[in-house]
Amino acid sequence: MAVTDVGGARAVQRVDNDIDADTQLDLLRVMLRIRCFEERAEALFLAGELPGFIHLSIGQEACAAGACLALRRDDYITSTHRGHGHCLAKCAPAERMMAELFAKATGSCKGKGGSMHIADFSVGMLGANGIVGGGANLAVGAAIAARLRQTDQVALCFFGDGAANRGTVHEASNLAAVWKLPVIFFCENNRYASTTAAGAALSIENVADRAAGYGMPGVIVDGNDALAVHRVVREWAAHARSGGGPVLIEAKTYRMRGHYVGDPQLYRATDEVEAQRARDPIDRLAATLAGAGLLDLARLERLRAEVAEEIEAAVRFARESPLPSPEDALADLYVNPIERMP
Amino acid sequence: MPEMTFTEATLAAMREEMRRDPLVFVIGEDMASQGGVFGQFKGLAEEFGAGRVLDTPISETSIVGAAVGAALCGARPVADMHFADFVACAMDEIVNQAAKARYMFGGQCSVPMVLRMPDGAINSAAAQHSQSVEAWMLHTPGVKLVAPSNPYDAKGLLKSAIRDDDPVLYYEHKALFKTRGEVPGEEYVVPMGQAALRHVGSDVTIVSYSLMVQRCLEAADELAADGIEADVVDLRSLRPLDWEAIATSVRKTHRVVVAHEACRTGGVGAEIAAQIGEELFDDLDAPVLRVGARDVPIPFSPPLERFVLPGPADVAAAVRRLM
Ligand SMILES: Cc1ncc(C[n+]2csc(CCOP(=O)(O)OP(=O)(O)O)c2C)c(N)n1
Ligand SMILES: [Mg+2]
């Protein structure tokens, strides 16, 4: 496990495998679920069935699954524009999410949010965010609310290498560190912020190196290794839960698809993407599980089939659901509605 | 009835609401030792402790963003912007987060927070500490706006704002802080969306809010000496807006001036004038006039500042133009 003290991110490997078999299989199942959802969404988008635009997390499933499965249901997460995986990993039902992508009245946000504002508050998923870096302060606030209520909930903030450069992330990191809030800043460094290579926007190599400047531990983990991500988040969530304060975890991963579906990707070579296939997080965990005798081909196929059936059912549900009525556009703005709405 | 200052009235509201609901907390700069930059939070840290009166670094995006996050998770933050001008540093947290969260997430959540906005010009504070910025937020569906003009309303509206489940921006003019007025000892609230008629007359309607109401009352007295009787409608809330109060008065007087300290162009007055034009055109005997600051930043030098800001004479002059 890659762990550092305040003062810089250094990697320290730990070899023992302390994650129980059920959890390991769960990680695989959740990753398959995300992959299947994303591939289905991609196809549906290309077929013209989904309005708007969508950002996929294919290749980054180990981050969402590894992190969220290390949290409790009542813990909070804040997400990004690339939030489908986070939402699924926090155990949101796929049906309502898919219906939201279809802009249907039965969607998680009743068709008012779409892909970029996917959210499920019932599982502590406080929303994808169309504002890059917008979730960091929300996570700080969630942690404040937990402290005020004297619960031991933690808040995990997913953000990207691009978001790492926003002032909101700096302010939130400093504040969380000053107040020792139970926040896990989880940076998915997928090597690009839209068309910009991470290195072109960072004056240092690792986002996690910035932790020293905030006075919190910085940790680097292989973001395509679900078990490693899971271990790191589990350990630091426990640390935060027991009053140890925030942490900055940087997961080194890779965005396998374009920034959005339809991105011509002129900023990177196809070879680079192809080379990353060897790091596929799902293949990797499957191989590890097979090596440990926890998985055989039949079981893997069964898992894939179960997940595919769930996502197909979600697509059916979404297709059959009604569109919102036009006048629903005026609902859900205020809890206490304002009678006269000009 | 006991008298107290506007500041004391807001403090009384804070204490009552913080005692009533343990999920109400304060977040902002200079809270602990100073009780806020204008002392509107004095004594709260002593009574409620550092756990409920959070003294932040100079991090406006965090003050507002964390308030939104805490509100999404069931807490009821009262955040302080120090000077309303600084809200520009936290614009995204209001416009894209607080105002939109409930809506874009399809009603799954609510954002029960209050943002205290000390605004307006006083004592040559100059361009970056004097602006009235309520129009920015009136143009942002999803937030409510209140702007009390006196200590009684300051307390009652603050209590309503804290109890409301939606984000409320609480505009408190800095020149009002030391003003005194009667405030009942017993529990009361001033509901949002209810205007108050401060002066009664049948010749003209003057619509205003916040400190400018005091200026309009001075103008009304001056006009009364000339035999012109004005209705002065103190809006108290800008959203929800008490349209009935405006319409009732306009149907009686047929002449309207809308007055505020914020600059005229794109201001609240423009919006109210437009609504009156759309809905009460047949009741009008004259065009609706706006009184507001000149369209420049608030300057430093006293004669410049005085020239730019609207006063009772500007209100009276506008009324005379209508008669
Ligand atoms: C404040 C803000 N600036 C710019 C954008 C446009 N934008 C959307 S996603 C994105 C890239 C974000 O990169 P990163 O944080 O690394 O996340 P990733 O897309 O890699 O998941 C940009 C620039 C935005 N949505 N919000
Ligand atoms: Mg990125």
Side-chain angles (χ1 to χ4, degrees):
Chain A
M1 176 182 312
V3 174
T4 63
D5 290 315
V6 174
R10 273 172 286 109
V12 180
Q13 292 300 322
R14 190 201 281 178
V15 283
D16 60 319
N17 199 343
D18 47 357
I19 303 175
D20 64 63
D22 283 350
T23 305
Q24 296 194 38
L25 283 163
D26 258 357
L27 283 167
L28 184 64
R29 194 180 50 76
V30 170
M31 285 165 64
L32 288 167
R33 199 166 161 250
I34 298 171
R35 177 71 56 90
C36 185
F37 184 98
E38 296 288 54
E39 287 180 346
R40 207 65 188 85
E42 182 178 41
L44 290 161
F45 184 86
L46 291 170
E49 283 197 69
L50 311 181
F53 46 95
I54 56 175
H55 303 93
L56 303 177
S57 62
I58 290 174
Q60 301 176 219
E61 295 90 345
C63 294
C68 289
L69 266 59
L71 300 177
R72 296 194 317 226
R73 186 185 168 91
D74 68 341
D75 287 332
Y76 298 110
I77 64 166
T78 63
S79 176
T80 72
H81 53 286
R82 205 176 297 290
H84 305 165
H86 306 147
C87 202
L88 287 162
K90 199 70 177 50
C91 297
E95 286 188 345
R96 300 199 59 206
M97 286 179 59
M98 191 60 87
E100 188 60 33
L101 266 54
F102 271 82
K104 296 298 183 73
T106 55
S108 357
C109 307
K110 302 186 194 164
K112 288 204 173 80
S115 161
M116 210 160 29
H117 306 302
I118 203 82
D120 194 330
F121 279 68
S122 69
V123 294
M125 194 311 194
L126 304 180
N129 214 308
I131 304 299
V132 171
N137 286 307
L138 301 183
V140 166
I144 291 171
R147 181 170 282 180
L148 196 66
R149 280 196 254 92
Q150 297 182 319
T151 71
D152 65 349
Q153 292 158 291
V154 303
L156 184 144
C157 164
F158 285 106
F159 66 108
D161 49 284
N165 300 321
R166 280 220 55 219
T168 51
V169 172
H170 298 310
E171 286 194 15
S173 300
N174 179 59
L175 190 59
V178 168
W179 289 346
K180 282 205 167 316
L181 289 169
V183 182
I184 297 146
F185 294 97
F186 189 96
C187 179
E188 289 179 77
N189 185 343
N190 62 6
R191 302 261 305 271
Y192 290 92
S194 185
T195 65
T196 304
L202 288 163
S203 60
I204 48 174
E205 186 171 344
N206 305 304
V207 173
D209 291 339
R210 290 183 174 165
Y214 305 129
M216 67 171 86
V219 178
I220 295 170
V221 64
D222 181 344
N224 284 27
D225 180 344
L227 298 175
V229 172
H230 187 72
R231 263 188 222 107
V232 166
V233 175
R234 193 178 56 185
E235 171 165 340
W236 288 99
H239 181 256
R241 221 182 279 294
S242 61
V247 62
L248 170 51
I249 297 170
E250 177 182 8
K252 303 281 193 186
T253 183
Y254 194 78
R255 161 159 66 67
M256 291 301 290
R257 291 294 202 273
H259 173 50
Y260 55 93
V261 177
D263 178 4
Q265 302 182 63
L266 303 175
Y267 48 85
R268 65 181 180 184
T270 342
D271 289 359
E272 182 189 299
V273 184
E274 284 309 313
Q276 288 285 335
R277 288 200 194 285
R279 288 183 71 218
D280 185 88
I282 294 180
D283 292 350
R284 223 157 124 184
L285 182 60
T288 307
L289 292 187
L294 293 171
L295 187 74
D296 57 20
L297 202 58
R299 180 144 198 199
L300 179 60
E301 287 317 311
R302 204 160 64 239
L303 269 177
R304 279 192 204 282
E306 281 167 19
V307 161
E309 176 41 41
E310 184 203 350
I311 302 302
E312 257 338 285
V315 173
R316 273 197 305 279
F317 171 79
R319 281 200 178 117
E320 287 162 13
S321 289
L323 283 163
S325 318
E327 60 276 12
D328 291 346
L330 300 183
D332 295 321
L333 184 56
Y334 302 103
V335 178
N336 304 312
I338 290 173
E339 273 164 38
R340 183 184 152 83
M341 289 247 295
Chain B
M1 221 188 281
E3 272 216 350
M4 60 175 78
T5 66
F6 188 101
T7 301
E8 288 162 351
T10 66
L11 255 173
M14 292 299 299
R15 273 195 304 270
E16 287 177 18
E17 293 308 296
M18 290 180 79
R19 284 175 194 155
R20 190 183 58 78
D21 184 349
L23 290 175
V24 175
F25 73 97
V26 176
I27 180 166
E29 295 161 17
D30 298 313
M31 284 298 158
S33 57
Q34 200 183 330
V37 67
F38 301 107
Q40 323 99 295
F41 303 92
K42 225 186 196 86
L44 297 180
E46 287 78 0
E47 179 173 349
F48 299 99
R52 288 180 69 197
V53 181
L54 308 183
D55 208 0
T56 68
I58 303 167
S59 300
E60 282 73 18
T61 76
S62 279
I63 292 168
V64 182
V68 178
L72 287 172
C73 297
R76 303 186 83 86
V78 178
D80 178 43
M81 212 68 276
H82 233 155
F83 284 79
D85 309 64
F86 306 163
V87 78
C89 301
M91 209 63 175
D92 178 68
E93 283 62 34
I94 300 170
V95 172
N96 284 315
Q97 313 296 341
K100 294 177 185 171
R102 178 175 174 79
Y103 186 80
M104 71 186 177
F105 299 139
Q108 289 185 66
C109 57
S110 58
V111 188
M113 64 176 281
V114 176
L115 188 59
R116 302 274 299 263
M117 301 276 272
D119 67 352
I122 182 175
N123 295 342
S124 287
Q128 295 170 335
H129 291 69
S130 297
Q131 201 174 349
S132 295
V133 296
E134 65 276 9
W136 294 350
M137 299 307 177
L138 190 67
H139 203 59
T140 302
V143 293
K144 297 175 176 175
L145 294 80
V146 299
S149 69
N150 60 71
Y152 179 95
D153 288 355
K155 180 176 177 188
L157 278 172
L158 185 52
K159 286 169 69 83
S160 287
I162 293 171
R163 293 179 190 188
D164 198 81
D165 287 328
D166 296 311
V168 181
L169 299 162
Y170 182 91
Y171 293 88
E172 42 196 329
H173 197 295
K174 301 189 286 289
L176 285 171
F177 283 143
K178 293 205 171 82
T179 61
R180 300 183 68 81
E182 289 186 338
V183 177
E186 64 271 17
E187 171 88 34
Y188 72 96
V189 297
V190 172
M192 293 193 285
Q194 283 186 15
L197 199 55
R198 301 291 182 204
H199 191 276
V200 184
S202 52
D203 298 324
V204 64
T205 298
I206 304 174
V207 179
S208 190
Y209 53 91
S210 188
L211 175 70
M212 198 65 196
V213 171
Q214 310 299 345
R215 311 278 185 255
C216 293
L217 289 172
E218 287 173 49
D221 286 343
E222 183 195 320
L223 291 162
D226 290 350
I228 301 171
E229 296 297 339
D231 257 5
V232 177
V233 179
D234 177 356
L235 291 175
R236 305 203 279 192
S237 310
L238 304 179
R239 183 163 52 226
L241 181 70
D242 189 347
W243 174 249
E244 271 320 302
I246 297 172
T248 303
S249 178
V250 172
R251 288 191 192 107
K252 174 176 74 173
T253 65
H254 314 293
R255 289 179 170 79
V256 197
V257 170
V258 192
H260 50 58
E261 185 178 308
C263 62
R264 272 161 44 105
T265 302
V268 172
E271 174 57 34
I272 291 172
Q275 291 192 33
I276 293 171
E278 283 171 351
E279 301 198 22
L280 299 171
F281 187 76
D282 292 338
D283 290 293
L284 291 175
D285 287 345
V288 181
L289 294 187
R290 289 171 295 158
V291 172
R294 307 299 287 264
D295 282 315
V296 292
I298 306 299
F300 166 66
S301 178
L304 303 180
E305 189 191 57
R306 269 197 301 277
F307 178 78
V308 164
L309 294 174
D314 300 289
V315 178
V319 168
R320 289 203 171 89
R321 263 182 67 194
L322 295 180
M323 303 319 285

